Amino acid sequence: MTISDYIWSLVGFLLTIMVLSYLVGDNFFFRLAVHLFIGLTAGYVAVLLVRQILLPQLVIPLVNGSSPQRFWLVLPLALVLLLLVGQIPKFSAAAIIPLAYLAGLAAAIVIGGAVFGTLLPQSRSILDAFDPGRWYALPEQTWLRILDAVVMLFGTVGVLSYFHFGRKIKRESQNDAGKRPLILEGLGKVGQVFIGVTLGAVFAGIFSTALIALIDRLVFIGEMLTRIFGGL
Amino acid sequence: MKKVFGILTVLLVGLTVLSGYFFQAQLSPVLALIFQTGLVLFSAAGLIGIGYLLVLHIRRVIRGEKRIIQSVVLLIAFLIALIAGFVLTPQSTLYRDLILNVQIPVEASLLAVLAVTLLYASLRLIRVRGWTPMSIAFLGSAVFSLVLNSGLIQVSETSLGGRILAFLERLPLVGARGILIGMALGGLVMGLRYLLSLDRPYGGE
Amino acid sequence: MPFLICPDCGAENPLTAEICQVCGASLADVIPMDMDNSEADDGENDEFTLFSAEDKDLPELLNDLKQDHEPAGGGLPEIDLAGEGESSEVDDTPEWLDVIRKRAHEELDAAGEMTQRIVAAQESLTRQNEEERADYASWIEELRKETREEAVSGTEGQEEEPLEGPAPEKAKKDWLSRVRKASGKLETHDEPNAASRNLLDWLVALEEEQTGGMPSGEAGVTQPVDLRQRAHADESTREVRVGDGAQQAVAPKRLDLSREEREQADLLATTIADESTARPVQPITFGRRRWWVEFILAFFLIGGICFVLFSGRLFLLPEPPVTSGGQAVLNSVADLPEDAELLLVFDYQPAFAGELEWVAAPVLEALPDSVKVSVISTSASGPLLADSMLERLEIIPAIDLGYLPAEAFGAYGLAAGLASTQAAEFLPKGASELFEGEFHGILILSDNAERARVWVEQLSVLTPETPLNLLVTAQAGPMLRPYVDSGQVTGMMAGISDAAGLETSRTQGPNASQRWQAYQVGLLTLIGVLILGVLLNLRGGATQGDDI
């Protein structure tokens, strides 16, 4: 192990102890470690954005690029300048166009992804489960596949019924069954169960991930202590 | 007037990108330009966000407010990362070690603390939520997933037990699909509201 | 000279007047009154007194008051307008006074209206200043002189006497002056019409004394009443007004509410205001967070893990299974053709570096040597994490496509670039490379279901023919399984449960088994705590104030 590895390991060890001290309670060392992390990350991200994107994609082509490149870079340059000027409170209206640009871009990506990437394929998948060809592909699993298809359909519809799209849930209306059709209420109850099942699986996954991080940290601390006290 | 510019920009960009899903080949150059511009804009917006963070902490230091030491540490760390990044470059091993040996211990330790917190929350689950169908389903599914993940139950997939296990293993898929479809519908509505300028998060009200 | 007495305010108006010059009331049906003749009939009075000319007109009540009911100390004689109490005055009251009393009982408004007007007139008169009173006094004196002169000319033996004097007649005048003073606001004067005026004044004063203030009744006073009678009914009469009643501003109308109505209005206002008042919501507490419970749980968890990790023993726990998900990813990677180009997307945070290295190691180790690996990052730390992992796995990337901010945007950009058929020559180098790429497979390393979902959505739409595999953390797995089930994703490894069963001796190191067993112990601890939580709350849950 080189000196630099040793130094970095020591830094990591100290930071690990400082953050794990949060188990005892919020304290100065924990906050110090977190602020150090934030500052370092902010500096790194600034370097990344400038060196990886702004310089090679905007500044250098404007300076050294060909005429077509320079011509087409007028648009991003103008929008960036508007965005910067818009940070001055007096000229905040200047930021509307670049922000509208980003909003339009994000909205289109979200719509395209939601419709073509999730809604259509997932709905098709539910319908495909009722394909008789799939049922009889494995004869010993036919009834299981039929059951699977039915459960999938009712469970998905139940989960969607549980969501109140656009409706404000009022406390008094929760007891008033007359507001929604009974079938929707019943499907909503079924959906609750399936949502609980899914969230239980997600909870198990989150704990698994956190547990692996804990194991890694404990291994790291053990190795450091071994090095520190083993070297004595 | 500025409202009109905003609306026109949103419509123009949004409709062009949406059209790209259908006419990818024909609109490729336009999409490339839109992508290029967006790339630069996102980066500029990120830098502006970092600037606001720095201004906040600089003000705290100048005014001598509470927790000034933490703000000083933050600013010093920022300067070190910034200067080292421009001098050493992100591809440098030294710079990589500097960043990762701070980020990984801090973030991983925060995640490790979460494990203990989740353990305590599990003990109080029923006390907080009560005996409801959702909480019972949650408990059962969590225990089943944990048992499966731990590898305590290992059966052949072709056996009856294996098939039942596989069926039970697919149950979370039902709820996940419903949640994903619901989220997609919500995203669709939100995106349409932005495109039609019913909501204007960029200002222009 | 006859006059027209206004029926509303009692002011004298010339015969030619069609409306009252004080209050504007119609005089159409008013019978002219000739006060001079009545005065001439009173010539038997030798002296001029207030009552001298109208002894005949005065009701007997007033005469009685003059003679018998004069209070010792001055002041107003008490007359019960309400008619209560026995008094010889009651028997002696004239009919008109009885009528007034009756109407006061039966029709509150009747007396109230009259007295209200009278009182309003009083109010207007209270505003006058001392100078006006002085002027008025001099005017009175002048009028008296004129009256006396007329009386002298028309009658015999009228003497001019001051209003107040030491003679017996003066005693009467003293009484009368006391009446005037006691009424306070009105000053009477010696005029043929003084009787009616004085009566009104007196009634007003008595009414005030009875009620103690302004009577409630109709809203406001509709018209000022000028009780200052004019000078004699003589065309040369000049009108002297003390306080120009006609031009005085009309008192604003006010809504008079009874006490009960006011209380009800206040109650209503309070109720309305209180309805929208924010009330504190009582938070539901489920017992205090016991630090010692958390400490014990942490002790058991960390203690158990450390014991397994550092004891060097292997416990009788099952080996990690080989799952179908992990096998599918391995097969997909193994099926890549020679000289294939594989794109690795690094989209995770440093906190998950340990788990994702454990998950990705078996897959990346299984890559054929001829495969060219390209790397792109959409998380800020991605480039550094990619360098670190690939260096440890001894994989050298052929192309580094750099960093794309905003995962959805980066995913779209990559997907659009991969789907494009034209090179964008006008673009800078980095972006153009993105749009010129063509890959035989894409491996996404992600810690977050949301970000991985965005990648899947964009890539499965724009590049459906490119095989897509996910290497994700255990927390992202459940929400991404629908995409595997729908065929949008070829294969997925979620967490070390899927990866640990694969052959990974090289990168996991000698402690791989210990780490797997530590992982099992941790999961078993959570299972135990969940069951313990159920057993502790078998009776019921969601109770306030209980502690664990």
Side-chain angles (χ1 to χ4, degrees), chain B residues 21 103 124 127 131 150 154, chain C residues 319 381 458 520 537 542 548:
Chain B
Y21 283 99
Q103 285 188 339
R124 291 160 54 91
R127 178 170 295 276
W131 288 103
S150 64
Q154 296 183 33
Chain C
E319 290 291 322
S381 304
Q458 299 301 325
Q520 286 178 306
N537 295 289
I548 289 180

Side-chain angles (χ1 to χ4, degrees), chain B residues 137-159:
Chain B
F138 180 93
L139 263 174
S141 174
V143 171
F144 181 73
S145 299
L146 287 168
V147 167
L148 277 184
N149 287 349
S150 64
L152 291 177
I153 300 176
Q154 296 183 33
V155 290
S156 169
E157 286 183 7
T158 53
S159 64

Side-chain angles (χ1 to χ4, degrees), chain A residues 156-178:
Chain A
T156 307
V157 173
V159 169
L160 289 173
S161 302
Y162 179 71
F163 294 133
H164 297 74
F165 286 104
R167 287 186 68 235
K168 290 179 186 176
I169 300 173
K170 292 178 190 174
R171 210 165 261 286
E172 53 272 10
S173 69
Q174 284 177 350
N175 297 326
D176 186 0

Side-chain angles (χ1 to χ4, degrees), chain C residues 88-154:
Chain C
S88 59
E89 299 169 277
V90 178
D91 297 331
D92 295 332
T93 53
E95 197 175 338
W96 62 267
L97 192 56
D98 282 334
V99 168
I100 289 171
R101 282 180 184 164
K102 277 182 192 171
R103 286 182 71 189
H105 280 296
E106 293 163 329
E107 300 173 42
L108 289 172
D109 285 347
E113 185 177 337
M114 186 172 70
T115 52
Q116 193 175 0
R117 289 177 180 173
I118 292 166
V119 168
Q122 288 180 18
E123 282 184 336
S124 66
L125 292 169
T126 57
R127 295 190 198 105
Q128 62 178 319
N129 50 29
E130 293 299 326
E131 289 179 0
E132 290 174 334
R133 289 188 179 185
D135 290 338
Y136 185 69
S138 64
W139 174 68
I140 294 294
E141 190 59 38
E142 197 175 340
L143 286 174
R144 283 184 194 140
K145 283 180 186 172
E146 287 176 6
T147 307
R148 285 186 207 117
E149 285 168 5
E150 288 176 4
V152 164
S153 64

Side-chain angles (χ1 to χ4, degrees), chain C residues 220-268:
Chain C
V221 176
T222 54
Q223 51 202 355
V225 176
D226 186 6
L227 291 182
R228 289 282 179 266
Q229 62 179 345
R230 290 190 199 167
H232 300 284
D234 164 324
E235 289 180 358
S236 63
T237 303
R238 61 186 170 175
E239 185 179 316
V240 178
R241 293 173 182 273
V242 180
D244 190 358
Q247 293 179 7
Q248 281 179 356
V250 176
K253 293 187 180 183
R254 64 185 182 88
L255 179 66
D256 289 323
L257 298 174
S258 66
R259 192 175 187 178
E260 191 182 319
E261 286 168 337
R262 269 192 225 110
E263 284 174 5
Q264 288 173 352
D266 289 340
L267 184 63
L268 179 64

Side-chain angles (χ1 to χ4, degrees), chain B residues 21 24-25 28 31 35 39 96 103 107 120 122 124 127 131 139 146 149-152 154 170 173 177 183, chain C residues 290 318-319 350-351 381 391 409 412-413 416 420 422 450 458 482 485 497 520 524 526 534 537 542 546 548:
Chain B
Y21 283 99
Q24 180 63 37
S28 180
L31 293 176
F35 171 75
L39 194 65
R96 188 189 71 199
Q103 285 188 339
E107 287 196 22
Y120 183 67
S122 306
R124 291 160 54 91
R127 178 170 295 276
W131 288 103
L139 263 174
L146 287 168
N149 287 349
S150 64
L152 291 177
Q154 296 183 33
R170 279 174 63 82
L173 177 65
R177 183 160 276 161
M183 283 165 60
Chain C
R290 295 281 194 179
E319 290 291 322
S381 304
E391 188 179 303
F409 174 73
Y412 171 77
S420 70
Q422 303 179 34
E450 192 59 34
Q458 299 301 325
D485 189 62
S497 308
Q520 286 178 306
L524 287 171
L526 180 61
V534 168
N537 295 289
D546 292 344
I548 289 180

Side-chain angles (χ1 to χ4, degrees), chain A residues 135-136 138-150, chain B residues 167:
Chain A
W135 293 350
Y136 300 106
L138 292 170
E140 65 276 9
Q141 295 185 12
T142 300
W143 287 109
L144 209 59
R145 290 195 173 189
I146 293 171
L147 179 66
D148 182 74
V150 171
Chain B
F167 174 78

